């Protein structure tokens, strides 16, 4: 590989808002999106909320001359909605479905039925290995009373762990998607601190787009005021995150977003704004090599965010146990009613009323049983996340106590992606 090697990577990301029968002007928006992607000829186009596989197949055929490689990530009942179109051959692909994803009885939110996930593509570009991830986390429906916060934190941790464990042989790591997290939210900070990923909006020197990089803006005709909640000027929940390893340096040369309409002043592609980033990968000059300093100040943000995440997951686990206990009492009550009704029916007393109440009592037992089993599973999944966080937190604290000489080994999970290795 030449010392002055440079790789230019153009990336497009969009939450397409492609819900069949519900999303407005879906077919027209998909058509215009395909025309735009063909015209711009990005290296990678990563899309979320393509809920209809027919829409994917339409885009697949339309984009085939420009993007010969594509993949649709299937999961859940409705589907993950994730897909990728690539100008370069895809060497490998896989996905990880998040363990926790909301509640099945919250039918109007639908997240549980989607099978939210993270998809991974491995590409070989000019001798480099690129791991490209696309994801979509659980939506935030009420910021003041967020019943899904523990689930979203657990998803952010699973996402960070998946990237950590699958990117060890990669030269460049790229993550795009709708995280449904504000930049300062716990899940976003946890993801960045553990993986070492950099935010394109914060890193680029050439940004053009909506104010503060917001990806849901009031100028978009598909965005309602209630969608923005306490942020009437817009929110930033869609991201392009990246890092490079193995003695390489990556920077975001330009970042653009749409501003409530498509780049050619037509109707918007979606209720989210599109992200368009140009990344440059090159050999890092020796004087610019990041020095692996692992002092207490370095690990302090990681320790803080791990502790905060542990507390939030612990609180979610306590809530799950509480609901499982309530459901257990409901099961007991239902069984008691069934026994009483059987006794009344057998004795001939008010037999008709006993038979009439039999069906609701059986329904109560079955419904409460399903409710109980789901929350037991939720508690176990949160317990797994809490245990992992506790382990990493313990090692981070130990690294702080032992000093800089011992920290590279103890903080390997975080630092491995950031340290510079010899070619």
């Amino acid at each position: 590989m030449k010392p002055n090697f440079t790789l230019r990577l153009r990336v497009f990301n969009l939450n397409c808002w492609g819900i069949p029968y519900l999303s407005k002007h879906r077919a027209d928006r998909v058509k215009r999106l395909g025309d735009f992607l063909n015209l711009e000829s990005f290296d990678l186009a990563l899309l979320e909320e393509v809920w209809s596989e027919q829409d994917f197949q339409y885009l697949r055929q339309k984009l085939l001359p420009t993007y010969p490689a594509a993949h649709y990530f299937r999961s859940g009942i409705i589907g993950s909605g994730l897909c990728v179109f690539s100008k370069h051959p895809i060497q490998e692909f896989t996905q990880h479905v998040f363990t926790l994803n909301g509640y099945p009885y919250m039918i109007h939110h639908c997240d549980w039925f989607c099978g939210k996930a993270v998809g991974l593509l491995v590409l070989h570009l000019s001798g480099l290995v690129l791991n490209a991830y696309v994801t979509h986390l659980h939506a935030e429906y009420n910021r003041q009373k967020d019943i899904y916060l523990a689930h979203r934190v657990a998803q952010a941790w699973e996402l960070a762990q998946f990237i950590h464990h699958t990117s060890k042989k990669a030269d460049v790591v790229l993550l795009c998607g709708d995280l449904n997290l504000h930049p300062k939210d716990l899940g976003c900070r946890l993801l960045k601190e553990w993986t070492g990923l950099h935010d394109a909006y914060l890193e680029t020197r050439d940004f053009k787009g909506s104010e503060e990089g917001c990806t849901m803006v009031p100028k978009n005709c598909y965005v309602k005021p209630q969608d923005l909640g306490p942020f009437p000027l817009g929110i930033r929940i869609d991201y392009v995150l990246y890092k490079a390893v193995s003695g390489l340096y990556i920077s975001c040369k330009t970042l653009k977003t749409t501003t409530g309409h498509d780049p050619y002043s037509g109707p918007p592609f979606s209720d989210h704004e599109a992200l368009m980033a140009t990344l440059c990968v090159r050999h890092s000059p020796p004087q610019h090599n990041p020095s692996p300093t692992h002092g207490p100040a370095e690990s302090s943000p990681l320790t803080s965010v791990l502790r905060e995440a542990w507390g939030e997951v612990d609180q979610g686990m306590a809530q799950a146990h509480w609901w499982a206990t309530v459901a257990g009492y409901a099961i007991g009550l239902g069984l008691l009613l069934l026994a009483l009704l059987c006794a009344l029916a057998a004795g001939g007393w008010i037999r008709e009323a006993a038979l009439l109440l039999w069906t609701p009592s059986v329904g109560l037992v079955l419904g409460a049983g399903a409710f109980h089993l789901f929350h037991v599973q939720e508690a176990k999944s949160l317990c797994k996340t809490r245990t992992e966080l506790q382990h990493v937190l313990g090692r981070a604290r130990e690294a702080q106590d032992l000093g800089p000489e011992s920290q590279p080994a103890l903080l390997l999970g975080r630092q491995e992606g950031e340290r510079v290795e010899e070619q």
Side-chain angles (χ1 to χ4, degrees):
M1 192 178 294
K2 297 180 180 179
N4 59 349
F5 167 83
T6 300
L7 173 67
R8 183 169 175 265
L9 188 66
R10 296 185 66 230
V11 179
F12 177 90
N13 179 78
L14 176 66
N15 179 320
C16 296
W17 190 45
I19 310 172
Y21 312 112
L22 294 179
S23 298
K24 296 180 180 178
H25 313 132
R26 189 182 99 251
D28 175 66
R29 291 189 289 107
V30 170
K31 178 181 181 299
R32 288 189 294 106
L33 175 61
D35 292 336
F36 174 76
L37 292 177
N38 270 330
L39 184 64
E40 289 292 328
S41 186
F42 295 94
D43 291 284
L44 276 172
L46 304 103
L47 308 178
E48 304 87 53
E49 286 201 13
V50 182
W51 300 121
S52 168
E53 194 163 345
Q54 291 182 345
D55 287 345
F56 168 74
Q57 294 298 342
Y58 170 81
L59 287 172
R60 180 76 180 93
Q61 294 301 317
K62 190 180 186 72
L63 300 178
L64 190 59
T66 311
Y67 304 86
H71 185 69
Y72 188 73
F73 295 96
R74 298 170 177 84
S75 67
I77 298 173
I78 300 174
S80 70
L82 306 174
C83 61
V84 178
F85 299 91
S86 172
K87 186 186 294 186
H88 311 279
I90 298 172
Q91 304 298 323
E92 302 174 42
F93 59 82
T94 188
Q95 68 176 333
H96 171 74
V97 180
F98 296 124
T99 307
L100 292 171
N101 191 38
Y103 306 109
Y105 49 83
M106 301 293 282
I107 300 175
H108 57 298
H109 288 165
C110 291
D111 292 72
W112 186 84
F113 299 92
C114 299
K116 295 287 181 69
V118 51
L120 162 64
L121 297 176
V122 179
L123 307 177
H124 292 173
L125 305 177
S126 303
L128 299 182
V129 178
L130 167 66
N131 275 24
Y133 301 85
V134 59
T135 193
H136 187 193
L137 303 191
H138 197 293
E140 179 186 80
Y141 294 97
N142 187 330
R143 193 166 182 84
Q144 286 69 37
K145 191 177 181 180
D146 188 1
I147 63 174
Y148 301 113
L149 180 56
H151 285 213
R152 200 155 47 252
V153 171
Q155 286 183 346
W157 176 249
E158 278 192 50
L159 173 60
Q161 285 284 70
F162 182 74
I163 292 173
H164 165 63
H165 289 295
T166 58
S167 63
K168 293 181 178 180
K169 295 182 179 180
D171 297 298
V172 178
V173 176
L174 172 69
L175 170 64
C176 296
D178 176 5
L179 299 183
N180 276 310
L181 295 166
H182 295 228
K184 294 184 179 180
D185 283 355
L186 172 58
C188 194
R189 290 184 284 116
L190 178 65
L191 173 65
K192 291 179 182 178
E193 283 294 331
W194 184 239
T195 61
L197 290 169
H198 303 286
D199 189 334
Y201 172 72
L202 300 178
E203 298 292 330
T204 187
R205 295 183 179 180
D206 183 5
F207 173 75
K208 296 178 182 178
S210 55
E211 188 175 353
E212 302 296 329
C214 293
T215 53
M216 289 192 74
V217 297
K219 292 181 180 180
N220 190 306
C221 63
Y222 297 125
V223 175
K224 301 175 183 178
Q226 56 266 34
D227 296 332
L228 301 176
F231 305 96
L233 300 180
I235 57 178
R236 184 162 80 96
I237 55 177
D238 302 87
Y239 296 83
V240 174
L241 306 174
Y242 58 83
K243 70 175 181 179
V245 295
S246 303
L248 296 170
Y249 176 76
I250 185 169
S251 61
C252 182
K253 185 177 180 181
T254 65
L255 178 67
K256 299 179 182 179
T257 74
T258 50
T259 56
H261 49 74
D262 76 19
Y264 302 112
S265 299
F269 290 137
S270 170
D271 60 343
H272 287 238
E273 302 307 315
L275 291 167
M276 294 159 278
T278 301
L279 306 177
C280 289
V281 184
R282 64 179 185 272
H283 280 292
S284 178
Q287 61 269 27
H288 291 158
N289 278 346
S291 57
T293 57
H294 309 288
E298 173 80 9
S299 59
S300 179
L302 175 63
T303 303
S304 177
V305 74
L306 286 170
R307 187 186 300 113
E308 189 177 348
W310 186 93
E312 190 60 52
V313 170
D314 185 66
Q315 185 176 343
M317 191 175 71
Q319 186 74 8
H321 278 305
W322 187 85
W323 280 116
T325 301
V326 169
Y329 285 128
I331 294 171
L333 177 61
L335 292 173
L336 183 62
L337 285 174
L338 284 174
L340 180 60
L341 291 173
C342 288
L344 291 174
W349 302 330
I350 53 174
R351 186 170 185 174
E352 292 78 7
L355 292 175
L356 188 62
L357 294 172
W358 177 267
T359 300
S361 299
V362 172
L364 173 62
V365 171
L366 294 178
F371 195 85
H372 173 78
L373 291 175
F374 174 80
H375 284 286
V376 166
Q377 183 269 336
E378 178 193 20
K380 288 183 180 294
S381 297
L382 288 171
C383 182
K384 175 186 74 70
T385 300
R386 188 186 67 166
T387 302
E388 292 177 2
L389 288 168
Q390 188 173 15
H391 174 73
V392 175
L393 179 60
R395 288 179 62 83
R397 285 172 174 168
E398 186 180 353
Q400 284 183 289
D401 294 340
L402 292 178
E405 292 78 9
S406 302
Q407 286 177 21
L410 293 170
L411 291 177
L412 184 61
R414 180 198 181 200
Q415 303 295 345
E416 185 173 10
E418 297 179 355
R419 64 186 173 88
V420 178
E421 300 174 350
E422 296 182 359
Q423 291 291 327

